[in-house]
Amino acid sequence: MMSDAFSPVSSRSGAADTQMKTVVILISGRGSNLLALLEAKLPGRISAVISDRGEAQGLAFAQARGVATAVIDHRRYTSREAFDAALTEEVEAHRADLVVLAGFMRILGDDFVRRFAGRLLNIHPSLLPMFPGLKPHAQALAAGVKIHGCTVHFVTPSLDAGPIVVQAAVPVHGDDDQKSLAARVLVQEHRIYPQAVRWFLEDRLRLSPDGRVVLQGEGPPAQPLIAPASA
Ligand code: GAR
């Protein structure tokens, strides 16, 4: 069905309609993952960027590219349900085929998660299921792991526990602090998040009804990462 939210760039090739999917991105702050997505030349249309904080720096990246922005300020709502309802309305107004959480720091309620089940992605800066929740880099350093990383996953009602789509691993250096480790992981976030979104937009990635990730046409397995490497 044609939707008036689709831009004129929706492509037609020959007799077949190849309609681009629409993406809505939710942020709370800096917006570096948003920027990576905006610059990735994705085969879809980013129809809006929504923040729960008016001061989120990432909003400027969207505005500079002519992408619609909205702020649903969580401080204006007395309950999570009321916030989620307002957020749902805004997301639906942009006819999202896919909702992408890119540094969105509010926990979403079950109703929101269920409504967008199978079309709601998150990135978390750890190799889930290790180190969910807050301060994953501090958790990794405290645990003394030698390999850390980031995970793109479908969102389910359990925090940071949804089916895993793709992960990237980095070595932990002996002299790392949270800042240096976060920076190393962030470089990989900017690689794997556009990749996962691209897979979804190309209809290669989906969540099966039994909760498994289905990805068509996976590349060859990656090389092992051993850390520390032997001298
Ligand atoms: C990113 O590292 C992202 O993985 C993390 O917040 C940062 C946002 O940075 N998300 C979470 O911790 C979610 N639990 P960004 O605003 O520059 O993309």
Side-chain angles (χ1 to χ4, degrees), residues 6-21:
F6 282 91
S7 75
V9 294
S10 290
S11 64
R12 281 168 181 272
S13 59
D17 273 350
T18 52
Q19 201 166 264
M20 283 190 181
K21 287 188 163 62

mmCIF file with all atom_site columns, all heavy atoms in Angstrom, residues 6-21:
data_model
loop_
_atom_site.group_PDB
_atom_site.id
_atom_site.type_symbol
_atom_site.label_atom_id
_atom_site.label_alt_id
_atom_site.label_comp_id
_atom_site.label_asym_id
_atom_site.label_entity_id
_atom_site.label_seq_id
_atom_site.pdbx_PDB_ins_code
_atom_site.Cartn_x
_atom_site.Cartn_y
_atom_site.Cartn_z
_atom_site.occupancy
_atom_site.B_iso_or_equiv
_atom_site.pdbx_formal_charge
_atom_site.auth_seq_id
_atom_site.auth_comp_id
_atom_site.auth_asym_id
_atom_site.auth_atom_id
_atom_site.pdbx_PDB_model_num
ATOM 1   N N   . PHE A 1 6  ? 5.919  8.282  2.451   1.00 0.00 ? 6  PHE A N   1
ATOM 2   C CA  . PHE A 1 6  ? 7.071  7.947  1.630   1.00 0.00 ? 6  PHE A CA  1
ATOM 3   C C   . PHE A 1 6  ? 7.481  9.162  0.799   1.00 0.00 ? 6  PHE A C   1
ATOM 4   O O   . PHE A 1 6  ? 6.654  9.891  0.293   1.00 0.00 ? 6  PHE A O   1
ATOM 5   C CB  . PHE A 1 6  ? 6.765  6.765  0.706   1.00 0.00 ? 6  PHE A CB  1
ATOM 6   C CG  . PHE A 1 6  ? 6.816  5.465  1.433   1.00 0.00 ? 6  PHE A CG  1
ATOM 7   C CD1 . PHE A 1 6  ? 5.681  4.945  2.000   1.00 0.00 ? 6  PHE A CD1 1
ATOM 8   C CD2 . PHE A 1 6  ? 8.008  4.801  1.601   1.00 0.00 ? 6  PHE A CD2 1
ATOM 9   C CE1 . PHE A 1 6  ? 5.722  3.759  2.704   1.00 0.00 ? 6  PHE A CE1 1
ATOM 10  C CE2 . PHE A 1 6  ? 8.058  3.607  2.298   1.00 0.00 ? 6  PHE A CE2 1
ATOM 11  C CZ  . PHE A 1 6  ? 6.913  3.085  2.853   1.00 0.00 ? 6  PHE A CZ  1
ATOM 12  N N   . SER A 1 7  ? 8.776  9.326  0.662   1.00 0.00 ? 7  SER A N   1
ATOM 13  C CA  . SER A 1 7  ? 9.282  10.474 -0.079  1.00 0.00 ? 7  SER A CA  1
ATOM 14  C C   . SER A 1 7  ? 9.238  10.179 -1.571  1.00 0.00 ? 7  SER A C   1
ATOM 15  O O   . SER A 1 7  ? 9.109  9.040  -1.985  1.00 0.00 ? 7  SER A O   1
ATOM 16  C CB  . SER A 1 7  ? 10.720 10.746 0.331   1.00 0.00 ? 7  SER A CB  1
ATOM 17  O OG  . SER A 1 7  ? 11.540 9.773  -0.253  1.00 0.00 ? 7  SER A OG  1
ATOM 18  N N   . PRO A 1 8  ? 9.407  11.212 -2.380  1.00 0.00 ? 8  PRO A N   1
ATOM 19  C CA  . PRO A 1 8  ? 9.442  10.999 -3.823  1.00 0.00 ? 8  PRO A CA  1
ATOM 20  C C   . PRO A 1 8  ? 10.617 10.119 -4.242  1.00 0.00 ? 8  PRO A C   1
ATOM 21  O O   . PRO A 1 8  ? 10.656 9.668  -5.369  1.00 0.00 ? 8  PRO A O   1
ATOM 22  C CB  . PRO A 1 8  ? 9.622  12.416 -4.395  1.00 0.00 ? 8  PRO A CB  1
ATOM 23  C CG  . PRO A 1 8  ? 9.255  13.330 -3.282  1.00 0.00 ? 8  PRO A CG  1
ATOM 24  C CD  . PRO A 1 8  ? 9.509  12.605 -2.020  1.00 0.00 ? 8  PRO A CD  1
ATOM 25  N N   . VAL A 1 9  ? 11.575 9.886  -3.326  1.00 0.00 ? 9  VAL A N   1
ATOM 26  C CA  . VAL A 1 9  ? 12.714 9.061  -3.718  1.00 0.00 ? 9  VAL A CA  1
ATOM 27  C C   . VAL A 1 9  ? 12.359 7.582  -3.722  1.00 0.00 ? 9  VAL A C   1
ATOM 28  O O   . VAL A 1 9  ? 13.149 6.775  -4.161  1.00 0.00 ? 9  VAL A O   1
ATOM 29  C CB  . VAL A 1 9  ? 13.952 9.273  -2.808  1.00 0.00 ? 9  VAL A CB  1
ATOM 30  C CG1 . VAL A 1 9  ? 14.488 10.670 -2.965  1.00 0.00 ? 9  VAL A CG1 1
ATOM 31  C CG2 . VAL A 1 9  ? 13.640 8.930  -1.377  1.00 0.00 ? 9  VAL A CG2 1
ATOM 32  N N   . SER A 1 10 ? 11.152 7.209  -3.220  1.00 0.00 ? 10 SER A N   1
ATOM 33  C CA  . SER A 1 10 ? 10.737 5.814  -3.338  1.00 0.00 ? 10 SER A CA  1
ATOM 34  C C   . SER A 1 10 ? 10.879 5.410  -4.801  1.00 0.00 ? 10 SER A C   1
ATOM 35  O O   . SER A 1 10 ? 10.382 6.078  -5.688  1.00 0.00 ? 10 SER A O   1
ATOM 36  C CB  . SER A 1 10 ? 9.279  5.640  -2.923  1.00 0.00 ? 10 SER A CB  1
ATOM 37  O OG  . SER A 1 10 ? 9.171  5.819  -1.547  1.00 0.00 ? 10 SER A OG  1
ATOM 38  N N   . SER A 1 11 ? 11.593 4.331  -5.029  1.00 0.00 ? 11 SER A N   1
ATOM 39  C CA  . SER A 1 11 ? 11.986 4.057  -6.410  1.00 0.00 ? 11 SER A CA  1
ATOM 40  C C   . SER A 1 11 ? 11.004 3.129  -7.102  1.00 0.00 ? 11 SER A C   1
ATOM 41  O O   . SER A 1 11 ? 10.372 2.301  -6.479  1.00 0.00 ? 11 SER A O   1
ATOM 42  C CB  . SER A 1 11 ? 13.378 3.438  -6.422  1.00 0.00 ? 11 SER A CB  1
ATOM 43  O OG  . SER A 1 11 ? 13.343 2.201  -5.760  1.00 0.00 ? 11 SER A OG  1
ATOM 44  N N   . ARG A 1 12 ? 10.907 3.293  -8.398  1.00 0.00 ? 12 ARG A N   1
ATOM 45  C CA  . ARG A 1 12 ? 10.146 2.384  -9.241  1.00 0.00 ? 12 ARG A CA  1
ATOM 46  C C   . ARG A 1 12 ? 11.116 1.814  -10.254 1.00 0.00 ? 12 ARG A C   1
ATOM 47  O O   . ARG A 1 12 ? 11.795 2.547  -10.941 1.00 0.00 ? 12 ARG A O   1
ATOM 48  C CB  . ARG A 1 12 ? 9.055  3.146  -9.992  1.00 0.00 ? 12 ARG A CB  1
ATOM 49  C CG  . ARG A 1 12 ? 7.858  3.442  -9.135  1.00 0.00 ? 12 ARG A CG  1
ATOM 50  C CD  . ARG A 1 12 ? 6.970  4.440  -9.858  1.00 0.00 ? 12 ARG A CD  1
ATOM 51  N NE  . ARG A 1 12 ? 5.823  4.752  -9.030  1.00 0.00 ? 12 ARG A NE  1
ATOM 52  C CZ  . ARG A 1 12 ? 4.701  4.060  -9.053  1.00 0.00 ? 12 ARG A CZ  1
ATOM 53  N NH1 . ARG A 1 12 ? 4.561  3.036  -9.856  1.00 0.00 ? 12 ARG A NH1 1
ATOM 54  N NH2 . ARG A 1 12 ? 3.705  4.384  -8.267  1.00 0.00 ? 12 ARG A NH2 1
ATOM 55  N N   . SER A 1 13 ? 11.180 0.519  -10.327 1.00 0.00 ? 13 SER A N   1
ATOM 56  C CA  . SER A 1 13 ? 12.054 -0.063 -11.335 1.00 0.00 ? 13 SER A CA  1
ATOM 57  C C   . SER A 1 13 ? 11.204 -0.946 -12.231 1.00 0.00 ? 13 SER A C   1
ATOM 58  O O   . SER A 1 13 ? 10.632 -1.925 -11.789 1.00 0.00 ? 13 SER A O   1
ATOM 59  C CB  . SER A 1 13 ? 13.178 -0.864 -10.687 1.00 0.00 ? 13 SER A CB  1
ATOM 60  O OG  . SER A 1 13 ? 12.642 -1.883 -9.892  1.00 0.00 ? 13 SER A OG  1
ATOM 61  N N   . GLY A 1 14 ? 11.115 -0.581 -13.481 1.00 0.00 ? 14 GLY A N   1
ATOM 62  C CA  . GLY A 1 14 ? 10.299 -1.320 -14.420 1.00 0.00 ? 14 GLY A CA  1
ATOM 63  C C   . GLY A 1 14 ? 8.862  -1.327 -13.952 1.00 0.00 ? 14 GLY A C   1
ATOM 64  O O   . GLY A 1 14 ? 8.345  -0.339 -13.446 1.00 0.00 ? 14 GLY A O   1
ATOM 65  N N   . ALA A 1 15 ? 8.207  -2.476 -14.132 1.00 0.00 ? 15 ALA A N   1
ATOM 66  C CA  . ALA A 1 15 ? 6.805  -2.566 -13.759 1.00 0.00 ? 15 ALA A CA  1
ATOM 67  C C   . ALA A 1 15 ? 6.635  -2.743 -12.253 1.00 0.00 ? 15 ALA A C   1
ATOM 68  O O   . ALA A 1 15 ? 5.588  -2.456 -11.701 1.00 0.00 ? 15 ALA A O   1
ATOM 69  C CB  . ALA A 1 15 ? 6.173  -3.737 -14.492 1.00 0.00 ? 15 ALA A CB  1
ATOM 70  N N   . ALA A 1 16 ? 7.697  -3.230 -11.578 1.00 0.00 ? 16 ALA A N   1
ATOM 71  C CA  . ALA A 1 16 ? 7.542  -3.574 -10.166 1.00 0.00 ? 16 ALA A CA  1
ATOM 72  C C   . ALA A 1 16 ? 7.789  -2.359 -9.274  1.00 0.00 ? 16 ALA A C   1
ATOM 73  O O   . ALA A 1 16 ? 8.713  -1.585 -9.489  1.00 0.00 ? 16 ALA A O   1
ATOM 74  C CB  . ALA A 1 16 ? 8.539  -4.675 -9.804  1.00 0.00 ? 16 ALA A CB  1
ATOM 75  N N   . ASP A 1 17 ? 6.955  -2.180 -8.268  1.00 0.00 ? 17 ASP A N   1
ATOM 76  C CA  . ASP A 1 17 ? 7.180  -1.144 -7.273  1.00 0.00 ? 17 ASP A CA  1
ATOM 77  C C   . ASP A 1 17 ? 8.166  -1.666 -6.237  1.00 0.00 ? 17 ASP A C   1
ATOM 78  O O   . ASP A 1 17 ? 7.928  -2.687 -5.610  1.00 0.00 ? 17 ASP A O   1
ATOM 79  C CB  . ASP A 1 17 ? 5.868  -0.823 -6.537  1.00 0.00 ? 17 ASP A CB  1
ATOM 80  C CG  . ASP A 1 17 ? 5.078  0.226  -7.290  1.00 0.00 ? 17 ASP A CG  1
ATOM 81  O OD1 . ASP A 1 17 ? 5.626  0.808  -8.235  1.00 0.00 ? 17 ASP A OD1 1
ATOM 82  O OD2 . ASP A 1 17 ? 3.916  0.435  -6.919  1.00 0.00 ? 17 ASP A OD2 1
ATOM 83  N N   . THR A 1 18 ? 9.267  -0.988 -6.080  1.00 0.00 ? 18 THR A N   1
ATOM 84  C CA  . THR A 1 18 ? 10.176 -1.345 -4.988  1.00 0.00 ? 18 THR A CA  1
ATOM 85  C C   . THR A 1 18 ? 10.119 -0.196 -3.997  1.00 0.00 ? 18 THR A C   1
ATOM 86  O O   . THR A 1 18 ? 10.773 0.817  -4.174  1.00 0.00 ? 18 THR A O   1
ATOM 87  C CB  . THR A 1 18 ? 11.609 -1.558 -5.504  1.00 0.00 ? 18 THR A CB  1
ATOM 88  O OG1 . THR A 1 18 ? 11.977 -0.423 -6.261  1.00 0.00 ? 18 THR A OG1 1
ATOM 89  C CG2 . THR A 1 18 ? 11.702 -2.804 -6.354  1.00 0.00 ? 18 THR A CG2 1
ATOM 90  N N   . GLN A 1 19 ? 9.279  -0.377 -3.007  1.00 0.00 ? 19 GLN A N   1
ATOM 91  C CA  . GLN A 1 19 ? 9.007  0.704  -2.098  1.00 0.00 ? 19 GLN A CA  1
ATOM 92  C C   . GLN A 1 19 ? 9.997  0.684  -0.949  1.00 0.00 ? 19 GLN A C   1
ATOM 93  O O   . GLN A 1 19 ? 10.188 -0.347 -0.309  1.00 0.00 ? 19 GLN A O   1
ATOM 94  C CB  . GLN A 1 19 ? 7.591  0.517  -1.558  1.00 0.00 ? 19 GLN A CB  1
ATOM 95  C CG  . GLN A 1 19 ? 6.989  1.779  -1.020  1.00 0.00 ? 19 GLN A CG  1
ATOM 96  C CD  . GLN A 1 19 ? 5.502  1.584  -0.837  1.00 0.00 ? 19 GLN A CD  1
ATOM 97  O OE1 . GLN A 1 19 ? 4.711  1.934  -1.688  1.00 0.00 ? 19 GLN A OE1 1
ATOM 98  N NE2 . GLN A 1 19 ? 5.147  0.991  0.271   1.00 0.00 ? 19 GLN A NE2 1
ATOM 99  N N   . MET A 1 20 ? 10.622 1.812  -0.717  1.00 0.00 ? 20 MET A N   1
ATOM 100 C CA  . MET A 1 20 ? 11.583 1.876  0.383   1.00 0.00 ? 20 MET A CA  1
ATOM 101 C C   . MET A 1 20 ? 10.884 1.784  1.723   1.00 0.00 ? 20 MET A C   1
ATOM 102 O O   . MET A 1 20 ? 9.798  2.326  1.910   1.00 0.00 ? 20 MET A O   1
ATOM 103 C CB  . MET A 1 20 ? 12.320 3.210  0.329   1.00 0.00 ? 20 MET A CB  1
ATOM 104 C CG  . MET A 1 20 ? 13.382 3.291  -0.721  1.00 0.00 ? 20 MET A CG  1
ATOM 105 S SD  . MET A 1 20 ? 14.322 4.791  -0.451  1.00 0.00 ? 20 MET A SD  1
ATOM 106 C CE  . MET A 1 20 ? 15.469 4.666  -1.799  1.00 0.00 ? 20 MET A CE  1
ATOM 107 N N   . LYS A 1 21 ? 11.553 1.137  2.648   1.00 0.00 ? 21 LYS A N   1
ATOM 108 C CA  . LYS A 1 21 ? 11.033 1.094  4.009   1.00 0.00 ? 21 LYS A CA  1
ATOM 109 C C   . LYS A 1 21 ? 11.373 2.403  4.727   1.00 0.00 ? 21 LYS A C   1
ATOM 110 O O   . LYS A 1 21 ? 12.313 3.106  4.359   1.00 0.00 ? 21 LYS A O   1
ATOM 111 C CB  . LYS A 1 21 ? 11.654 -0.083 4.754   1.00 0.00 ? 21 LYS A CB  1
ATOM 112 C CG  . LYS A 1 21 ? 11.123 -1.440 4.312   1.00 0.00 ? 21 LYS A CG  1
ATOM 113 C CD  . LYS A 1 21 ? 11.667 -2.526 5.245   1.00 0.00 ? 21 LYS A CD  1
ATOM 114 C CE  . LYS A 1 21 ? 10.890 -3.815 5.161   1.00 0.00 ? 21 LYS A CE  1
ATOM 115 N NZ  . LYS A 1 21 ? 10.910 -4.444 3.854   1.00 0.00 ? 21 LYS A NZ  1
#
